[in-house]
Amino acid sequence: VGGVMIMGDRGTGKTTTIRALVDLLPEIDCVENDLYNSSPTQSDVMSDEVRERRANNEELPVVSKKVPMVDLPLGATEDRVCGTIDIEKALTQGQKAFEPGLLAKANRGILYVDEVNLLD
């Protein structure tokens, strides 16, 4: 996990700069339909599911996509950020399932937190 904090007065273009940065960054290769933007080659940035599929010598279809940018809303709850149990799947299908949160969506990309001073 790494990060950069950009500070400046209101109206200096901080948000605009970050949003433009996403368009400038090169696309990344990801395993198709993976919720964590897993790399098809680097095991340190693979989800457990992708790592398991790779160990079973399954073919991993690859897609190139823009670096993800996810906004963290000010009122985001812990389960929204980290993920939670998929209650609908548990009740309807009787299966335990994890519903990833914003951190998973931002994996290998940018988690944008505006107004850091207002977070609890």
Side-chain angles (χ1 to χ4, degrees):
V1 175
V4 174
M5 181 177 287
I6 299 174
M7 295 172 27
D9 293 331
R10 183 179 209 101
T12 56
K14 299 177 297 291
T15 301
T16 304
T17 302
I18 294 300
R19 294 190 191 289
L21 178 65
V22 171
D23 293 330
L24 294 175
L25 292 172
E27 290 189 342
I28 57 174
D29 288 335
C30 297
V31 175
E32 191 172 33
N33 298 323
D34 182 65
L35 299 174
Y36 301 92
N37 302 314
S38 294
S39 167
T41 56
Q42 297 174 291
S43 60
D44 61 325
V45 285
M46 283 182 186
S47 65
D48 291 339
E49 294 91 13
V50 170
R51 221 179 268 129
E52 188 176 306
R53 288 173 54 195
R54 186 175 179 204
N56 293 334
N57 294 321
E58 286 185 41
E59 184 179 332
L60 300 173
V62 178
V63 294
S64 288
K65 59 173 147 176
K66 290 173 68 170
V67 170
M69 180 179 161
V70 177
D71 284 302
L72 179 68
L74 283 176
T77 59
E78 187 175 330
D79 59 325
R80 178 81 173 106
V81 174
C82 299
T84 187
I85 295 173
D86 187 342
I87 300 296
E88 182 180 343
K89 197 170 198 176
L91 294 175
T92 59
Q93 300 174 9
Q95 296 178 350
K96 285 191 249 178
F98 179 70
E99 185 177 325
L102 296 174
L103 289 176
K105 289 181 183 176
N107 190 35
R108 300 182 65 210
I110 297 171
L111 178 66
Y112 180 68
V113 183
D114 198 7
E115 305 291 344
V116 174
N117 56 320
L118 297 178
L119 293 176
D120 287 338

